[in-house]
């Protein structure tokens, strides 16, 4: 079986399907993005997570052609940046991203951060609801939304996001927010799933990796998948690009899952959404 055919699909609340494992391109330099994303697509990834703020949407679009794939073969997520909050700006922002990607629509469009000090994420969300109705994005969601932000957009528009993309890894397991997502049928997407490498030397993870004959990175990706998270590790290294999608020939036991769950320290590596504006 090819790796892409082994990646499960997760059904979103709007009925659309998303490949549970994808490829993240944060911090991949714009000039390298087409080449590295092409290599990821050739390795079997069919889901790419980019953002306006990564300044590399164009490279993602180019990679689809370079890998000889059709637009519909690849699930593309991009995100609205903090400077584009507001109803009119949000509508313009997606069109600009589509131009960069050279596609007619994306599969998932996210509000990147709630930026609560600006207090216009509700207006921004209303624009995304319309952008979905216009067919410019198949699904809409948010990123870095806390419980209060989620409850507010749902209360004021009646529309819940398909996903919330949040920092989530063994050192920051987000149990409370994951429960909130489950209550609203919102899929959890985990960003920095490997904590940018910080969890990979953890003795508990290294021990499990030795026991199952896989690498620490593969064990952590498997932990996410078995928890139902959508995940998109980033790597510019060919061997790791291949390794990170080679996670469908083993399963973690309940005890191994629990041992990784026990590593939660409630420690972020990234910004706090309540104060990041
Ligand atoms: P990750 O947790 O994916 O870690 C990436 C780092 O780990 C890189 O330094 C990479 O090195 C290394 N690495 C990757 N695979 C392995 C492996 N198998 N073994 C050892 N080291 C490995 O961090 P990211 O922050 O990049 O998060 C992933 C994606 O999440 C982003 O690309 C982006 O799409 C999304 N994201 C979203 C955010 C948001 O606010 N919504 C914020 C941050 C990320 P190397 O590349 O040198 O191989």
């Amino acid at each position: 079986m090819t790796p892409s055919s082994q990646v499960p699909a997760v059904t979103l609340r709007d009925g659309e399907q998303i490949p549970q494992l994808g490829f993240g391109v944060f911090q991949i330099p714009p000039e390298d993005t087409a080449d590295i994303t092409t290599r990821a697509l050739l390795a079997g990834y069919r889901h790419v997570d980019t953002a306006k703020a990564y300044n590399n949407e164009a490279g993602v679009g180019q990679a689809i052609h370079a890998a000889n794939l059709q637009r519909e073969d690849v699930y593309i997520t991009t995100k609205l940046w903090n400077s584009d909050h507001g109803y009119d700006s949000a509508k313009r922002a997606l069109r600009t991203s589509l131009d960069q990607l050279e596609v007619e629509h994306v599969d998932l469009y996210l509000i990147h951060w709630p930026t609560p000090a600006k207090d216009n994420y509700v207006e921004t969300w209303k624009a995304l609801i319309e952008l979905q109705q216009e067919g410019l994005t198949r699904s809409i969601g948010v990123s870095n939304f806390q419980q209060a932000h989620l409850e507010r957009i749902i209360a004021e528009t009646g529309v819940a996001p398909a996903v919330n993309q949040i920092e989530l890894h063994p050192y920051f397991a987000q149990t409370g927010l994951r429960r909130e997502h489950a209550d609203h049928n919102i899929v959890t997407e985990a960003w920095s799933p490997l904590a940018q490498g910080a969890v990979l030397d953890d003795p508990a993870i290294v021990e499990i990796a030795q026991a199952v004959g896989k690498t620490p990175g593969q064990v952590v990706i498997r932990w996410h998948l078995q928890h139902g998270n959508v995940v998109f590790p980033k790597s510019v290294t060919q061997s790791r690009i291949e390794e990170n999608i080679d996670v469908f020939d083993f399963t973690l036991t309940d005890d191994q899952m629990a041992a990784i769950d026990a590593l939660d320290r409630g420690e972020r590596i990234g910004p706090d959404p309540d104060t990041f504006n």
Side-chain angles (χ1 to χ4, degrees):
M1 276 204 286
T2 59
S4 55
S5 65
Q6 292 175 281
V7 175
V10 172
T11 302
L12 304 175
R13 56 179 299 119
D14 59 12
E16 297 288 338
Q17 294 204 314
I18 182 170
Q20 196 184 1
L21 176 62
F23 185 68
V25 298
F26 177 44
Q27 292 178 325
I28 299 183
E31 63 276 17
D32 300 335
T33 302
D35 171 52
I36 292 166
T37 308
T38 303
R39 289 198 270 123
L41 295 172
L42 294 175
Y45 295 82
R46 291 293 181 270
H47 164 183
V48 183
D49 185 87
T50 184
K52 176 188 176 181
Y54 305 167
N55 198 24
N56 60 15
E57 292 169 306
V60 170
Q62 288 157 16
I64 298 173
H65 303 291
N68 250 323
L69 293 169
Q70 303 298 315
R71 166 66 188 93
E72 59 270 22
D73 296 332
V74 184
Y75 191 98
I76 303 175
T77 299
T78 194
K79 313 185 191 88
L80 172 135
W81 187 236
N82 300 349
S83 51
D84 292 321
H85 270 260
Y87 180 83
D88 293 328
S89 317
K91 291 220 156 170
R92 279 195 299 273
L94 176 53
R95 287 181 167 81
T96 306
S97 286
L98 295 176
D99 288 346
Q100 286 291 312
L101 287 156
E102 292 195 64
V103 297
E104 303 283 315
H105 70 273
V106 289
D107 297 284
L108 179 60
Y109 194 46
L110 306 180
I111 301 177
H112 206 145
W113 293 87
T115 62
K118 291 199 184 87
D119 195 25
N120 56 2
Y121 59 85
V122 176
E123 288 309 303
T124 309
W125 183 241
K126 287 179 183 166
L128 264 65
I129 293 169
E130 291 185 12
L131 288 164
Q132 182 183 26
Q133 288 162 351
E134 291 164 29
L136 299 184
T137 178
R138 290 222 197 278
S139 299
I140 52 174
V142 295
S143 177
N144 300 301
F145 273 43
Q146 305 277 53
Q147 180 169 345
H149 310 133
L150 290 172
E151 288 181 353
R152 188 163 162 215
I153 59 170
I154 296 168
E156 295 199 24
T157 69
V159 181
V163 311
N164 187 17
Q165 182 179 125
I166 55 174
E167 179 179 345
L168 200 174
H169 44 73
Y171 290 165
F172 194 61
Q174 296 263 32
T175 319
L177 203 43
R178 288 183 68 248
R179 206 174 300 122
E180 170 81 3
H181 293 171
D183 287 347
H184 292 286
N185 192 16
I186 297 168
V187 167
T188 300
E189 292 197 330
W191 65 250
S192 294
L194 308 174
Q196 299 189 336
V199 296
L200 301 179
D201 297 327
D202 189 282
I205 291 172
V206 171
E207 189 186 317
I208 294 169
Q210 283 163 353
V212 297
K214 300 295 269 189
T215 68
Q218 289 170 319
V219 165
V220 174
I221 292 166
R222 193 69 221 173
W223 173 80
H224 283 285
L225 295 174
Q226 289 184 216
H227 269 309
N229 301 334
V230 171
V231 74
F232 23 81
K234 167 265 180 186
S235 179
V236 298
T237 313
Q238 183 66 30
S239 58
R240 291 171 174 172
I241 291 172
E242 293 171 12
E243 169 184 327
N244 291 347
I245 197 174
D246 178 19
V247 291
F248 298 101
D249 60 352
F250 74 110
T251 313
L252 299 176
T253 63
D254 290 348
D255 285 351
Q256 289 166 336
M257 289 293 287
I260 302 175
D261 290 343
L263 300 176
D264 186 15
R265 305 168 175 174
E267 242 174 49
R268 293 183 188 279
I269 56 168
D272 183 337
D274 284 321
T275 53
F276 187 68
N277 292 293

